[in-house]
Amino acid sequence: MPTTGARHVTQMFCRQMFRPALAAGATLALLAGCVSFGDKAPPQLLTLTSDAAPTAGSMAQASVTEAIIVDVPTVERTLDQVRVPVQVSDSAIAYVQDAIWADKPARLFRGVLAETLAAKSGRLVLDQVETGSERGMMLSGQLQRFGYDEAARSVIVQYDAVIRQPGTPLRKQRFQASVPVAVVDAVNVGAALNQAANTVAVQVAAWVAG
């Protein structure tokens, strides 16, 4: 549990980082990028939902070697947690106050990718646990960015996708989407990240099919 002194240092950091913006007439919503310490639980947990999920009752059948296996993306430490990062500068990261994911963002993003691929391709989409030792087309990669960028005033989702398939060359491509955010709080940032994640998932699905 952070001490009173630690909270004071954090508050001082936030005031120093955002003083120029506040002087320019920015709203107090910018301060939502500061880390929130304390015991109070967030009013809600954020999650991601696919805009292109298969309809109820839909089925797909294929051998494992014909399926698409979607792996959980790798992430750096700033994304390996349930808080939403704010890129304050090239060397400073803060977090959106009260914005807490229901699961780590890499796993949530993997779910959106899998649902979108299944809906767009009509193919059987599995994870590694379901496939055992057999392998078909493997979609993996790294989630490079998944948060709010203060300079851009937008959320940014950036995913480096890699496709491995027996008998074919390795394929890799970067996908990115950004969505502007007017008020930096948990609700608005969460909704914007969901929109950007779905945009990237649709881009990846088209690339996989190509």
Side-chain angles (χ1 to χ4, degrees), residues 105-177:
R107 289 197 286 264
L108 294 174
F109 182 68
R110 186 262 166 208
V112 171
L113 275 178
E115 292 277 276
T116 304
L117 280 167
K120 296 292 186 181
S121 68
R123 294 175 62 178
L124 181 64
V125 177
L126 303 171
D127 61 28
Q128 284 187 300
V129 174
E130 295 170 316
T131 61
S133 59
E134 296 183 85
R135 290 290 179 268
M137 176 186 287
M138 169 70 74
L139 173 64
S140 61
Q142 183 169 15
L143 193 57
Q144 299 279 8
R145 302 186 68 177
F146 201 84
Y148 178 75
D149 187 281
E150 177 62 28
R153 299 291 192 270
S154 302
V155 301
I156 297 176
V157 174
Q158 186 180 91
Y159 174 60
D160 289 349
V162 177
I163 288 181
R164 298 177 177 86
Q165 189 169 19
T168 63
L170 193 71
R171 296 167 59 196
K172 181 177 182 179
Q173 186 165 324
R174 172 167 290 183
F175 300 91
Q176 180 172 303

Side-chain angles (χ1 to χ4, degrees), residues 18 27 29-34 79 83-89 92-96 99 101 145-157 179-185 188-190 192-193:
F18 288 109
T27 67
L30 290 176
L31 293 177
C34 298
L79 294 179
R83 295 186 295 178
V84 179
V86 175
Q87 189 76 43
V88 178
S89 69
I93 296 288
Y95 295 92
V96 179
W101 292 111
R145 302 186 68 177
F146 201 84
Y148 178 75
D149 187 281
E150 177 62 28
R153 299 291 192 270
S154 302
V155 301
I156 297 176
V157 174
V179 176
V181 177
V183 178
V184 183
D185 59 18
N188 287 285
V189 170
L193 282 169

Side-chain angles (χ1 to χ4, degrees), residues 4-152:
T4 300
R7 287 194 295 269
H8 178 70
V9 170
T10 301
Q11 292 165 0
M12 289 293 293
F13 167 79
C14 292
R15 286 197 294 268
Q16 290 172 0
M17 293 303 297
F18 288 109
R19 185 176 294 128
L22 292 173
T27 67
L28 291 177
L30 290 176
L31 293 177
C34 298
V35 179
S36 176
F37 293 111
D39 297 328
K40 185 178 178 181
Q44 60 186 329
L45 295 178
L46 304 176
T47 191
L48 300 177
T49 56
S50 174
D51 294 337
T55 58
S58 61
M59 294 180 61
Q61 184 173 344
S63 67
V64 173
T65 55
E66 296 172 327
I68 303 174
I69 298 94
V70 181
D71 200 7
V72 177
T74 60
V75 293
E76 61 178 18
R77 183 170 297 180
T78 56
L79 294 179
D80 192 25
Q81 57 179 305
V82 294
R83 295 186 295 178
V84 179
V86 175
Q87 189 76 43
V88 178
S89 69
D90 290 341
S91 58
I93 296 288
Y95 295 92
V96 179
Q97 186 173 5
D98 293 334
I100 306 295
W101 292 111
D103 198 352
K104 289 186 178 180
R107 289 197 286 264
L108 294 174
F109 182 68
R110 186 262 166 208
V112 171
L113 275 178
E115 292 277 276
T116 304
L117 280 167
K120 296 292 186 181
S121 68
R123 294 175 62 178
L124 181 64
V125 177
L126 303 171
D127 61 28
Q128 284 187 300
V129 174
E130 295 170 316
T131 61
S133 59
E134 296 183 85
R135 290 290 179 268
M137 176 186 287
M138 169 70 74
L139 173 64
S140 61
Q142 183 169 15
L143 193 57
Q144 299 279 8
R145 302 186 68 177
F146 201 84
Y148 178 75
D149 187 281
E150 177 62 28

